[in-house]
Amino acid sequence: QVHVVESGGGLVPPGGSLTLSCTASGSIPGFNGMGWYRQVPGKEREMVATVTNGGWTNYVDSVKGRFTISRERGWNTVYLQMNSLQPEDTAVYYCTLYALGGGEQYWGQGTQVTVSS
């Protein structure tokens, strides 16, 4: 069993910044990735950024240059630094941990990010 817990959502004005945090615990797969997805009502969940435990990162085009994902070496904790936030970034953000090569994937409960003046 793997538990994934996010924190750090909230309300921020356009152009502002926010940092999300996530920690996974339990029976963690040895080769894994962690990342952030987001979802708005009526749309599919969208990958925002991922990072493997080897340090490889991947971003959706719409956040490149604005968001940075980072992971503490040796720990199952991941952060998402979000800068220059825009109203279209408003969504529920979900943290995930997944086994590389497919199979296991675990999700947090989600944290709301609202960008509004």
Side-chain angles (χ1 to χ4, degrees):
Q1 186 75 359
V2 174
H3 296 282
V4 178
V5 180
E6 311 102 331
S7 63
L11 173 65
V12 62
S17 298
L18 205 60
T19 301
L20 305 181
S21 303
C22 172
T23 298
S25 60
S27 302
I28 307 294
F31 295 98
N32 64 73
M34 294 186 74
W36 295 92
Y37 284 63
R38 64 188 179 187
Q39 189 170 25
V40 297
K43 291 191 176 181
E44 291 189 359
R45 194 170 293 187
E46 170 189 50
M47 187 280 293
V48 177
T50 60
V51 57
T52 69
N53 55 356
W56 293 98
T57 60
N58 187 35
Y59 296 89
V60 67
D61 286 347
S62 61
V63 307
K64 287 180 180 177
R66 300 189 299 124
F67 291 11
T68 302
I69 191 168
S70 60
R71 183 168 180 174
E72 293 188 12
R73 184 177 293 275
W75 295 90
N76 297 307
T77 298
V78 66
Y79 303 95
L80 185 68
Q81 174 66 45
M82 303 184 292
N83 298 325
S84 301
L85 282 161
Q86 300 302 318
E88 52 265 34
D89 295 315
T90 295
V92 177
Y93 283 70
Y94 295 91
C95 181
T96 184
L97 181 143
Y98 54 94
L100 296 179
E104 304 171 69
Q105 184 163 19
Y106 306 92
W107 296 92
Q109 78 284 356
T111 186
Q112 177 70 46
V113 172
T114 302
V115 185
S116 175
S117 54

